[in-house]
Structure formats: structure tokens, C-alpha cells
Amino acid sequence: TDQSAPAGADWSVAHCPDQTQLFRYSAVTFNAHRIHYDAPYARGVEGYDGIVVQGQLLATLMLRAIPGQPPVRQFSFRGVQPVYAGQPILTEGRLLPDGRAELWVRDAAGTLRMQGEAVLGG
């Protein structure tokens, strides 16, 4: 069952990861898993709806969306639903009073795709 993304974001950044971006990210992270570049394999063997965006790429996009790029002391994230190449997404979040940031990725329908938390500060 689909889980709705949180409401009340302090920021929202639109992305649409494409096959070229996934290929480049796989190259720099030495990630050769075929689900990130081979659509017939991803669909036929692994059962996905298409080429899967790397979780680490989504996590990177969540961190880069934090306004002002504050130092990050700790970071954790968890995939909830896959994101596919060519799928529009939003990286969103909000600052919490205790110096943490609640982060998430959602699709255009508002479905939560990834969630994370960052402890900010120097």
C-alpha cells in the first residue's frame, strides 16, 4: 500500500532523473547493478517497472536540497518505494527545532518514495 509523503515542507526541489544521470552516477560510485541501466533486465528478471534510480542518488539529492547547505553531522535514509528513470520527483524537507532536518522524496501524486533524517551543525 502506498504511503503519503509528509505535508508542510519548508523546501521542495523538482528532479527528473534520466538514464544518462543514472549511468554517470553508477560510474562514479562503481555500481554496476543492471537494474540501473538495463530496462529489459530490470523488468523481466527483477520485476521492476523500469530502470531504477539508485537509492544513494536519491539520498544525495535530498541532502543537496537543504537550503544553505549546512554541515551534516549524521545522515540516515530508507527507501520506501522505487523511483524510475524519467519519473518526476520532489526532494523535500523541513527543519526541526532540535537541529535536525526531516527529509523525503515524493512523486507527483504525493506518494512517499524515500525518507531520511540529517543532524545538522558544525
Side-chain angles (χ1 to χ4, degrees):
T1 177
D2 291 341
Q3 182 179 351
S4 294
D10 291 341
W11 61 85
S12 183
V13 179
H15 305 276
C16 190
D18 62 19
Q19 291 184 20
T20 301
Q21 186 178 18
L22 271 61
F23 177 80
R24 290 177 176 161
Y25 197 86
S26 286
V28 300
T29 60
F30 301 100
N31 182 346
H33 199 301
R34 289 173 65 179
I35 62 172
H36 304 304
Y37 65 87
D38 184 340
Y41 175 85
R43 287 187 183 101
V45 176
E46 298 285 348
Y48 289 107
D49 291 339
I51 296 174
V52 179
V53 177
Q54 300 92 335
Q56 295 84 353
L57 174 56
L58 296 172
T60 300
L61 294 173
M62 283 194 305
L63 285 174
R64 292 183 64 193
I66 301 172
Q69 294 295 289
V72 175
R73 293 190 349 217
Q74 291 180 345
F75 176 58
S76 62
F77 64 93
R78 180 179 75 84
V80 177
Q81 294 235 357
V83 173
Y84 299 102
Q87 178 180 15
I89 56 168
L90 296 159
T91 53
E92 299 182 325
R94 64 175 150 239
L95 296 175
L96 303 175
D98 62 1
R100 293 178 298 128
E102 181 182 8
L103 309 167
W104 61 89
V105 174
R106 71 172 178 88
D107 63 21
T111 302
L112 182 66
R113 297 297 177 142
M114 178 173 276
Q115 59 191 150
E117 180 180 284
V119 176
L120 307 175

